[in-house]
Amino acid sequence: MLNSMVEISAWIRSIRDNGRIAFIDIQDGSFAEALQVVAESSELPRDCHNGAAVLVRGTLVKSPARGQNVELKAEQIFLLGNCPQENYPLQKKQHSLDFLRSIPHLRIRTNTFLAVARIRSFLAQAIHRFFEREQYYHIHTPIITSSDTEGTGELFSVHHKKGTSFFGTPSYLTVSGQLAAETHALALGKVYTFGPTFRAENSNTNRHLSEFWMIEAEAAFLDIGGLIELSTSMLYYVLYELYKECIEDIRLLSTLHTPELIEQIEHLLTTSYVRISYTEAIDVLKSAKRNFTFSPQWGMDIQTEHEKFLCEIHYKAPVVIYDYPRAEKAFYMRVNDDQKTVAAMDIILPYFGEIVGGSQREERYDVLLCSMKEQGINPSHYTSYLDLRRFGSVIHAGFGLGFERLVQCATGMRNIRDVIPFPRAPGLIPD
Ligand code: 4AD
Ligand code: MG
């Protein structure tokens, strides 16, 4: 490419013009940082401002300036789309993320959001590559459903605008594709789905969205041990690929926002995941002799402060916790022999928290029926799910990975609303 003639269509990021020579930074979405164009001032068309779209014809040459390898020596510059400066919200200065969140349609034009978008795209493709390599089939599960898979009641209802019951039965936006994925795992063997999921949780945190994307894998003949293996190797694979291929974007984001980002990713790539049962985790927490806000007791939910202690102080590693108390968990999880716990697992990352949740599913008809009744679930709403246990039932397991949480880990962005193009969260009005 060097010394060859090129034509680049892009948007102007900044112009410095001393009346003789103009330095124009342009961005077409593919560079981590802008490409510098050097032109004679007389070549500049009128209205060549920050934000305008231009076509530059010129030669790529080695740059004498520091901090960049190449620059574009322009021969001709054409203005494609003018950008009036008076009310263009993006100025040359660095804007706060809070301000940028108020203009989601324009924040994508900043270096931060371009890098996040490229990483998001790369990770989505890496996930597909991982499952292809593992010979999983990609399936599509429905968005409109009638079931509350997680049993938490955090559902968005779907209505006809005219107020009529369109489907003749209460219907909701899906909270998880799992139950549908199970049907396919029990025929195709190994499947995954990657789609939008919706939760009407009133959680105003840096980790929760009302609409997020989830990767859900489900496989027949897989137990909880195999599931932990699968989910941890997927995380390793996608982060390793990212580290290899997107280091420039990672560097940029670490310079702009999270200085410890590279170190954190390297830590995840070089540290083995610790595996402990929930009971062991509670024992470790109890003997920690720390003043936790929630004092650890068997049966309680593991809180953020506990996760932090386990990953960041005690083990200094990502931790997989498995075999949770039955009372805390969804009806579909497989009951262990002790009758007190279920074969569920979560992956907790240092400086981050829960990223994956999964379980071995209850494959025994009678036990499943019993768990449903215990949780006040009407089995007649789950006849097809129960059918899977009546006709050729086998052990099977699956997990869900919150895609935005993965993107957060990979980009170091602290607020989950900054890793999805158009965030939906309580009080955030859709654009
Ligand atoms: O732990 P969860 O609720 O598990 C399930 O939905 C299972 N049905 C998955 C399965 O086994 N197929 O959600 C899985 C993951 C969480 O670990 C988290 O990463 C993410 O989804 N998640 C959210 N991400 C963003 N915003 C929210 N409100 C989220 N709720 C869960
Ligand atoms: Mg969970």
Side-chain angles (χ1 to χ4, degrees), residues 76-354:
Q76 282 174 302
I77 301 178
F78 302 95
L79 183 72
L80 302 178
N82 169 13
C83 180
Q85 295 301 285
E86 311 80 76
N87 41 19
Y88 185 50
L90 294 178
Q91 296 305 317
K92 216 191 131 191
K93 66 174 185 149
Q94 198 165 345
H95 295 287
S96 75
L97 293 172
D98 276 344
F99 167 72
L100 292 173
R101 233 169 271 138
S102 71
I103 45 167
H105 61 303
L106 294 175
R107 69 175 180 173
I108 182 62
R109 300 183 180 195
T110 62
N111 282 348
T112 296
F113 286 90
L114 284 170
V116 170
R118 281 189 295 264
I119 289 180
R120 188 179 164 106
S121 167
F122 182 88
L123 286 172
Q125 289 170 341
I127 281 163
H128 287 299
R129 280 198 299 276
F130 172 80
F131 283 113
E132 188 178 22
R133 189 190 78 177
E134 297 295 314
Q135 298 180 321
Y136 275 64
Y137 291 104
H138 182 199
I139 61 162
H140 298 111
T141 51
I143 306 289
I144 300 175
T145 66
S146 60
S147 64
D148 177 7
T149 310
E150 298 307 302
T152 54
E154 288 154 344
L155 302 161
F156 287 106
S157 296
V158 177
H159 300 289
H160 191 288
K161 200 175 170 198
K162 291 181 180 154
T164 53
S165 167
F166 190 83
F167 297 105
T169 175
S171 34
Y172 314 101
L173 296 179
T174 183
V175 294
S176 160
Q178 177 195 321
L179 304 191
E182 281 185 58
T183 65
H184 279 49
L186 292 191
L188 281 165
K190 301 197 281 190
V191 300
Y192 75 102
T193 165
F194 187 165
T197 45
F198 307 86
R199 302 220 177 156
E201 298 167 284
N202 209 356
S203 317
N204 248 314
T205 76
N206 283 347
R207 298 271 182 273
H208 290 86
L209 288 166
S210 310
E211 175 181 305
F212 64 98
W213 286 67
M214 184 149 58
I215 294 98
E216 295 186 89
E218 196 69 36
F221 318 110
L222 189 71
D223 65 8
I224 181 116
L227 184 70
I228 293 173
E229 203 55 51
L230 177 74
S231 50
T232 52
S233 58
M234 178 199 62
L235 281 180
Y236 179 83
Y237 174 88
V238 296
L239 289 174
Y240 180 68
E241 290 288 300
L242 179 85
Y243 185 78
K244 265 196 330 194
E245 304 295 333
C246 300
I247 194 67
E248 272 189 62
D249 281 328
I250 296 173
R251 253 190 221 124
L252 180 82
L253 291 169
S254 76
T255 312
L256 292 176
H257 302 285
T258 314
E260 58 283 8
L261 178 62
I262 297 181
E263 203 182 310
Q264 285 176 2
I265 297 178
E266 285 172 351
H267 179 62
L268 288 177
L269 291 176
T270 49
T271 317
S272 314
Y273 288 64
V274 170
R275 300 174 185 201
I276 47 165
S277 70
Y278 169 89
T279 305
E280 285 171 287
I282 293 291
D283 287 345
V284 168
L285 292 167
K286 274 185 172 165
S287 52
K289 303 206 171 40
R290 291 210 148 217
N291 263 343
F292 291 119
T293 312
F294 296 90
S295 90
Q297 272 167 33
W298 202 95
M300 78 186 300
D301 230 1
I302 293 191
Q303 306 289 324
T304 308
E305 56 175 340
H306 305 139
E307 293 176 351
K308 278 180 126 12
F309 175 79
L310 292 170
C311 290
E312 291 160 31
I313 297 169
H314 190 76
Y315 292 111
K316 296 187 172 52
V319 175
V320 184
I321 304 178
Y322 58 89
D323 288 353
Y324 281 83
R326 184 176 180 179
E328 293 295 311
K329 292 291 184 183
F331 73 94
Y332 54 71
M333 297 184 177
R334 191 177 198 279
V335 179
N336 287 326
D337 291 345
D338 62 13
Q339 302 297 316
K340 280 180 7 198
T341 60
V342 284
M345 49 90 49
D346 277 350
I347 301 182
I348 321 287
L349 299 185
Y351 307 102
F352 191 77
E354 179 194 333

